[in-house]
Amino acid sequence: MPSPASDLSPQAFAQACDFFYRQSGIRLTEQKRQLVVGRLAGRAAETGHASMDAFVQQALAQPNGPLGVLLVDALTTNETYFFREPQHFDHLSQWVRQYTPGGRALRVWSAAASTGEEAYSIAMTLAAAMGSRPWEVVGTDLSSRVLAQARQGLYHRDRCAKIPPADLKRWCLKGHGTYSGQVLMTRELRAKVRFEPGNLMHAQPDLGVFDVIFLRNVLIYFEGDAKATVVRHVVQRLARSGVLYTGHAETLNGLDHPLVRLAPAIYQLQ
């Protein structure tokens, strides 16, 4: 099978970036050309296309088809790890102990779940803090590829370094044989976490209302109206008195929202 050409034409680059922006709200500039080329070259080779331009053209011809989905998957950045920004999990543990969701299960949304580490970190925290009270975690992401990995709940052992020892012992199964060097989230924990496709640029009423939303290290990829749209859609899913966590490098300054800042990167809907 021939390898795809090592370069991407300016026209195809612009078309791919424009398509990705329409789908995700994330704008890729010329400074990201090497990232785009590196990722599309692999996808073009995997799908048997002679060039990246041919891959892009076929993907755009059927934007909702498998190649359109693959193009979006390829350009989506997914960087996460267990218990990232641990202050949020400390706060969550204390906050849920005194919060009452009104006679129903407490619901937490990992709004850019990636490969699932954040959602499972939330689940481990709730398992320790909630006692016998019911709860559930929902993780969403634009990328179908990372959602498949998240549902599997299987990770390389090195990615689990920041899981507290007690949680590692209680919720993580050490792999043997073929799975040596890997860790699997227990069936019990996976049963409490649901992963669904979700685009933050779109309102998602089917998800219902959440008491806690994690929207961390996501807003840095958006700008202007797209950033405002994401925040608006997310806040629409937040229950009154519910808490929103953002990344510590992010800010909601300059955006129109009904949230009150409780602490750095922690907000509440009054």
Side-chain angles (χ1 to χ4, degrees):
M1 180 182 298
S3 299
S6 60
D7 201 5
L8 182 68
S9 72
Q11 181 182 14
F13 172 79
Q15 290 174 327
C17 292
D18 182 62
F19 173 69
F20 183 66
Y21 177 73
R22 295 197 308 272
Q23 295 294 314
S24 69
I26 299 171
R27 192 178 300 281
L28 298 175
T29 64
E30 182 64 33
Q31 284 69 36
K32 297 292 185 179
R33 167 175 279 275
Q34 286 307 113
L35 179 146
V36 172
V37 167
R39 294 185 178 183
L40 293 189
R43 297 302 185 269
E46 291 169 9
T47 54
H49 288 81
S51 69
M52 284 181 282
D53 282 25
F55 170 74
V56 170
Q57 294 309 316
Q58 191 168 347
L60 298 187
Q62 294 184 309
N64 296 319
L67 290 183
V69 172
L70 189 61
L71 190 153
V72 172
D73 270 0
L75 298 183
T76 301
T77 297
N78 298 284
E79 181 182 352
T80 186
Y81 50 86
F82 287 98
F83 290 93
R84 185 178 187 178
E85 299 184 64
Q87 304 95 319
H88 284 157
F89 297 99
D90 294 339
H91 182 272
L92 176 67
S93 178
Q94 296 303 314
W95 187 80
V96 298
R97 294 174 193 273
Q98 49 79 38
Y99 176 79
T100 302
R104 57 169 174 77
L106 181 133
R107 305 186 73 231
V108 182
W109 180 18
S110 174
S114 186
T115 45
E117 289 92 331
E118 179 179 83
Y120 289 122
S121 299
I122 295 167
M124 293 179 204
T125 302
L126 295 181
M130 292 290 288
S132 60
R133 293 183 293 157
W135 54 270
E136 70 167 334
V137 179
V138 178
T140 64
D141 201 277
L142 181 65
S143 170
S144 57
R145 172 179 51 84
V146 298
L147 288 176
Q149 183 177 342
R151 293 187 184 105
Q152 189 178 23
L154 183 67
Y155 302 94
H156 193 278
R157 184 171 56 199
D158 292 346
R159 298 188 65 83
C160 302
K162 292 186 179 295
I163 298 178
D167 286 328
L168 192 65
K169 182 178 180 180
R170 173 69 180 86
W171 301 113
C172 305
L173 303 174
K174 184 179 179 180
H176 298 281
T178 305
Y179 295 99
S180 180
Q182 295 180 293
V183 171
L184 178 68
M185 300 297 106
T186 64
R187 185 184 301 271
E188 182 183 357
L189 191 70
R190 283 182 282 131
K192 301 289 286 185
V193 184
R194 174 164 56 92
F195 293 99
E196 302 286 349
N199 187 334
L200 295 175
M201 288 296 292
H202 301 159
Q204 300 177 78
D206 291 346
L207 290 177
V209 173
F210 295 90
D211 306 288
V212 179
I213 298 176
F214 280 66
L215 183 71
R216 306 189 309 163
N217 306 300
V218 178
L219 296 178
I220 56 174
Y221 296 108
F222 295 91
E223 56 187 31
D225 291 343
K227 183 176 180 180
T229 296
V230 168
V231 171
R232 183 174 69 254
H233 288 161
V234 168
V235 172
Q236 287 173 350
R237 300 292 101 222
L238 187 62
R240 188 160 298 280
S241 299
V243 169
L244 172 72
Y245 297 101
T246 64
H248 280 88
E250 298 170 317
T251 178
L252 299 185
N253 291 346
L255 298 177
D256 183 21
H257 61 78
L259 303 169
V260 173
R261 184 175 179 273
L262 299 180
I266 304 176
Y267 300 83
Q268 186 172 40
L269 181 61
Q270 298 297 305

